């Protein structure tokens, strides 16, 4: 049942998509809209503490959709709709990824898969609660939006046990659903341009996620981070807008705004910064309606009403989604997301733009400001920057504008030419705004060492690149499809567009093959690549079998950089791992007089004894302790840590004996002989 539930979820998603198609939604949009509906509905239920009931409601809705289809197509003898290349691409490739991941059973390996995205998904399955309220054993006020973990929960709702490969399966199905939306211009006869475009879509994550020669498993399609899904959701939102060809002067139509509004909501639910991408998409839809002439609204004043109405609806969806989640976190976590900015200067979020502009136009900029902004500029203009396999950001932009120019050149449709021009102009302004947003994040939100090294720059920048590039590909596809549909097409226009798409697909495939050997991708990686994680999981399972389910475990790893504690905390769930004075390093962060964080210092034996006495920890787990640790804290152990260093145990029981007359905590640690947690 634990494996079959993934196929059940995929079948439910297909049924919901077919229902949307039967009700008039274009087949290419249906998979993404089905996935978005599941994500949005289940998230709303989960915010009210009804995650389990909400998922039952979602599955019942999918079952009702399937029943409706049987009734309409069977009992009423209604003909099956024409599904087209995009829908069958979703079904075939989605099923392929599910079966591939089932065979390989990959596991989490990346840092944030243990610090955020993995626990968020696991807590939902284990407790049936969002990560904001589920017990995790330490102060974890994470206000991150839960869209993708909720969607992963849909794929393993039934049965018991949490499976990491099923999280990957859910994320990959979501990616394929977004790719199907990008393939919207191509009908059944357009396979000769649809196929290379589909290949480009499949390889796009490699282009932006892994752009240097690989000697280890590439995380593409084996990644629970949400940056790649965010970029593809952005592409799907733009594809839904451009492929629906809304009427410029008419009032907004329900069939037009529902899928587009859903795509905007999905962007806001995937990641906080997705709200900015949703705003860009809404503005691009507005400018497309306002400035691109149409037969029914040749004048600007005729299009203005429809344009502003569409913009208002889009902004309403964004405000409702972002504002709703902010209100929820404000109540549950008591976190004011508009004030608690943190960062280097600890200024409120609403003051950051003004502070940035004042320093930008100041004649005396700080060294930190010039270092960060200079680094951002170098990354964009660098030939071998961290932007993509193509090179730095300037190379990506050049390819995008080349595709837009070709799309405008290959069509005789003046409306489509204006659309390419309008999109090129305003999407560039959106990219400038995106760059400024990332720059301000480095300047005012991140830690200084993260900002100076532009840590994770590629992950923050490529969601926009992905959506931008795939939208340009879609406009090229529309140009080719439109030219083929003309009564008297120019013989060379469509073949040229197809040749460019095929050549780009071949170039991307060659580049990926040269940089990333097949054995390091999801397609060729062997099960043995996860042997270490599997062994660790077995060790932790043995460890938790020795613990009290209601207890707390104190963690010690004197050489840990944080990853060890995060991994164990995630792996032990639902057992509770204490934060353990600095995540097991026994270093306490000091605060300066002005409230900012200062240096770290090692706690002494008396402080550790007091912490163990007061924290409620009943067991100490020594994953790694050295001679210095023994010298400093060995007096707390009844055997002087002899059992640990002799290899007899990793676990020590905390025994409280009360407190002294002056109120000092008194406890000691006795070995649980034979309790060896790892081998």
């Amino acid at each position: 049942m634990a494996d079959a539930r993934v196929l059940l979820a995929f079948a439910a998603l297909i049924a919901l998509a077919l229902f949307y198609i039967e009700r008039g939604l274009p087949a290419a949009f249906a998979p993404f809209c089905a996935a978005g509906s599941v994500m949005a509905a289940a998230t709303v239920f989960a915010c009210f503490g009804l995650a389990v009931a909400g998922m039952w409601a979602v599955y019942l809705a999918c079952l009702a959709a399937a029943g409706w289809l049987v009734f309409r197509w069977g009992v009423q003898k209604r003909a099956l709709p024409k599904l087209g290349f995009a829908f069958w691409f979703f079904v075939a490739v989605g099923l392929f990824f599910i079966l591939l991941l089932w065979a390989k059973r990959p596991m989490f390996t990346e840092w944030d898969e243990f610090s955020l995205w993995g626990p968020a998904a696991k807590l939902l399955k284990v407790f049936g609660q969002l990560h904001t309220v589920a017990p995790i054993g330490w102060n974890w006020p994470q206000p991150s939006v839960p869209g993708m973990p909720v969607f992963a929960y849909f794929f393993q709702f039934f049965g018991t046990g949490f499976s990491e490969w099923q999280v990957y399966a859910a994320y990959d199905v979501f990616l394929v659903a977004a790719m199907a939306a990008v393939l919207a211009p191509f009908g059944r006869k357009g396979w000769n341009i649809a196929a290379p475009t589909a290949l480009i879509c499949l390889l796009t994550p490699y282009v932006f996620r892994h752009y240097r020669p690989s000697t280890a498993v590439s995380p593409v399609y084996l990644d629970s981070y949400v940056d790649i899904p965010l970029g593809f959701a952005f592409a799907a939102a733009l594809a839904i807008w451009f492929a629906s060809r809304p009427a410029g002067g008419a009032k907004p139509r329900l069939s037009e705004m529902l899928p587009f509004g859903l795509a905007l909501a999905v962007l806001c639910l995937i990641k906080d910064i997705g709200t900015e991408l949703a705003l860009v998409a809404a503005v691009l839809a507005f400018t497309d309606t306002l400035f691109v002439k149409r037969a029914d609204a040749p004048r600007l004043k005729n299009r203005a009403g429809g344009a502003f109405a569409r913009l208002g609806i889009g902004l309403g969806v964004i405000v409702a989604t972002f504002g709703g989640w902010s209100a929820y976190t404000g109540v549950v976590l008591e976190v004011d997301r508009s004030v608690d900015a943190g960062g280097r200067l600890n200024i409120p979020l609403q003051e950051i733009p003004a502070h940035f502009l004042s320093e930008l136009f100041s004649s005396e900029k700080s060294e930190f400001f010039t270092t960060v902004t200079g680094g951002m500029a170098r990354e964009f203009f660098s030939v071998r920057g961290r932007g993509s396999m193509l090179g730095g950001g300037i190379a990506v932009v050049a390819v995008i504008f080349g595709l837009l120019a070709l799309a405008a050149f290959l069509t005789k449709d003046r409306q489509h030419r204006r659309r390419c021009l309008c999109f090129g102009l305003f999407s560039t302004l959106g990219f400038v705004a995106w760059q400024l947003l990332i720059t301000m994040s480095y300047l005012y939100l991140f830690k200084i060492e993260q900002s100076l090294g532009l840590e994770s720059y590629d992950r923050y920048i490529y969601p926009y690149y992905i959506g931008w590039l795939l939208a340009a590909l879609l406009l090229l596809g529309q140009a080719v499809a439109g030219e083929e549909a003309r009564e008297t097409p120019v013989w060379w226009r469509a073949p040229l567009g197809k040749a460019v798409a095929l050549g780009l697909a071949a170039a991307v495939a060659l580049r990926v093959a040269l940089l990333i050997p097949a054995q390091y991708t999801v397609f060729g990686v062997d099960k043995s690549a996860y042997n270490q994680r599997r062994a660790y999981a077995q060790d932790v399972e043995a460890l938790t079998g020795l613990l009290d389910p209601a207890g707390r475990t104190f963690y010690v790893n004197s050489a840990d950089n944080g990853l060890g504690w995060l991994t164990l905390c995630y792996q032990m769930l639902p057992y509770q791992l204490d934060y353990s004075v600095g995540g097991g390093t026994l270093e306490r962060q000091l605060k300066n007089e002005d409230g900012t964080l200062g240096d770290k210092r090692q706690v002494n034996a008396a402080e550790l004894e007091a912490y163990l006495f007061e924290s409620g920890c009943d067991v100490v787990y020594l994953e790694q302790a050295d001679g210095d640790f023994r010298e400093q804290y060995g007096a707390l152990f009844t055997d002087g840590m002899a059992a640990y260093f002799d290899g007899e145990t990793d676990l020590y029981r905390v025994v409280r004996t009360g407190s002294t007359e002056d109120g000092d905590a008194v406890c000691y640690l006795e070995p649980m002989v034979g309790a060896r947690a790892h081998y």
Side-chain angles (χ1 to χ4, degrees), residues 57 280 386 404 412 466 506:
V280 171
R386 287 184 283 178
L404 291 175
K412 280 191 173 182
I466 289 174

Side-chain angles (χ1 to χ4, degrees), residues 80-253:
L80 290 172
K82 296 179 180 179
L83 299 178
F85 178 90
F87 184 84
W88 290 117
F89 168 83
F90 164 74
V91 173
V93 178
L95 183 60
F96 168 78
F97 272 122
I98 289 173
L99 296 177
L100 181 67
L101 294 170
W102 169 79
K104 297 181 179 299
R105 298 179 181 269
M107 303 181 75
F108 295 160
T109 57
E110 301 291 309
W111 182 289
D112 282 0
E113 290 183 313
F114 301 112
S115 67
L116 175 58
W117 302 115
K122 190 172 183 178
L123 288 167
L124 255 174
K125 177 59 184 174
V126 172
F127 295 107
Q129 295 176 306
L130 289 178
H131 62 275
T132 49
V133 294
I136 193 172
W138 61 296
N139 185 24
W140 196 53
Q142 284 287 353
S144 300
V145 285
M148 291 305 296
V150 167
F151 189 67
Y153 183 42
F154 174 71
F155 271 70
Q156 50 183 316
F157 176 64
F158 296 104
T160 59
F162 175 78
S163 181
E164 295 172 13
W165 77 263
Q166 294 174 2
V167 175
Y168 290 151
Y171 281 38
D172 292 348
V173 166
F174 180 87
L175 291 180
V176 177
M179 294 175 195
V182 177
L183 301 175
F186 314 114
R188 289 180 296 170
K189 296 181 180 180
W191 63 269
N192 48 3
I193 186 173
T197 304
L199 179 60
I200 294 172
C201 287
L202 287 168
L203 294 178
T204 292
Y206 288 103
V207 173
F208 293 104
R209 179 69 176 90
H210 213 95
Y211 45 84
R212 292 198 175 102
S214 177
T215 57
V217 175
S218 171
V220 173
Y221 297 113
L222 300 171
D223 188 356
S224 65
Y225 287 19
V226 298
D227 305 279
I228 292 175
L230 181 64
F232 274 91
F234 183 42
L238 297 177
I240 287 172
W241 179 262
F242 288 135
S244 62
R245 292 184 174 274
K251 295 180 180 179
R253 297 170 297 176

Side-chain angles (χ1 to χ4, degrees), residues 11 27 50 59 90 153 225 244 279 284 307 313 355 376 382 431 443 480 514 545 563 565 609 621 641 648 668:
L50 301 171
Y59 268 101
F90 164 74
Y153 183 42
Y225 287 19
S244 62
L279 288 171
L284 289 175
I313 294 172
H355 197 91
M376 291 284 291
S382 173
F431 178 67
L443 287 171
V480 173
L514 290 175
L563 183 59
W565 183 87
E609 183 180 12
Y621 169 46
M641 299 182 66
E648 298 176 359
Y668 60 87

Side-chain angles (χ1 to χ4, degrees), residues 479-521:
V480 173
E483 184 62 24
E484 286 186 324
R486 293 175 64 85
E487 294 183 2
T488 57
V490 178
W491 68 270
W492 55 268
R493 290 182 184 270
L496 177 59
K498 294 176 182 179
V500 169
L502 183 60
L504 183 60
V508 170
L510 179 62
R511 182 68 170 160
V512 171
L514 290 175
L515 289 180
I516 310 174
Q519 64 267 30
Y520 296 146
T521 70

Side-chain angles (χ1 to χ4, degrees), residues 274-479:
T275 302
E276 282 70 25
L277 289 180
L279 288 171
V280 171
V283 171
L284 289 175
F286 166 75
T287 56
D288 181 71
T289 306
L290 188 63
F291 296 116
V292 178
K293 289 184 180 180
R294 288 169 172 80
D296 64 337
R299 295 186 178 182
L300 181 63
K301 64 179 182 180
N302 302 128
R303 301 189 296 272
F308 281 100
R310 290 174 173 86
L311 179 62
I313 294 172
L315 293 179
V317 170
I318 295 170
V319 170
T321 308
F322 178 79
W325 180 254
S326 297
Y328 166 80
T329 54
V331 172
V332 173
L333 300 177
E334 299 181 354
V335 173
D336 188 347
R337 305 178 83 206
S338 66
V339 176
D340 296 337
R344 180 173 60 96
L345 300 181
N346 198 29
I347 58 178
L349 282 175
Q350 61 267 26
E351 295 182 11
I352 287 179
H355 197 91
F356 171 75
L357 291 175
S358 65
E359 192 164 8
L360 178 65
F361 294 107
S362 172
S363 58
E364 297 181 359
K365 299 178 177 61
S366 67
E367 182 180 355
F368 180 77
F369 185 91
T370 56
T371 300
V372 171
T373 55
M376 291 284 291
R378 283 192 299 274
E379 289 292 349
F380 179 74
F381 290 105
S382 173
V383 176
R384 299 180 59 83
R386 287 184 283 178
S388 69
M389 287 183 180
L390 305 172
I394 190 67
V396 178
V397 174
V399 170
I400 292 170
F401 273 89
L403 292 172
L404 291 175
L406 184 63
F409 175 70
L410 291 179
T411 182
K412 280 191 173 182
D413 186 349
R414 293 182 177 180
Q415 176 181 319
H416 192 68
R417 287 179 178 174
R418 293 191 190 99
R419 168 170 277 182
C420 293
L421 177 62
C422 184
F423 174 72
L425 173 61
F426 290 102
S427 62
T428 302
L429 295 178
F431 178 67
V432 172
W434 184 257
Q435 285 270 35
L436 292 176
L437 178 69
I438 296 174
T439 303
M440 287 187 287
S441 298
Y442 278 123
L443 287 171
Y444 307 114
L445 298 180
F446 296 163
K447 296 179 180 178
I448 293 179
E449 58 272 17
Q450 293 176 315
S451 301
L452 292 176
L454 297 184
E455 185 175 316
S456 299
Y457 168 83
D458 52 347
R459 288 202 300 114
Y460 300 138
I461 198 70
Y462 66 57
Y464 199 99
Y465 283 148
I466 289 174
W468 204 5
L469 175 64
L470 295 183
L473 272 174
L474 178 135
L475 292 175
L476 175 62
Q478 283 185 324

Side-chain angles (χ1 to χ4, degrees), residues 63-81:
L63 181 62
W68 172 265
L69 293 173
V70 171
F71 174 76
R72 297 283 283 182
W73 296 342
V75 177
Q76 294 193 356
K77 307 299 182 184
R78 191 180 181 91
L80 290 172

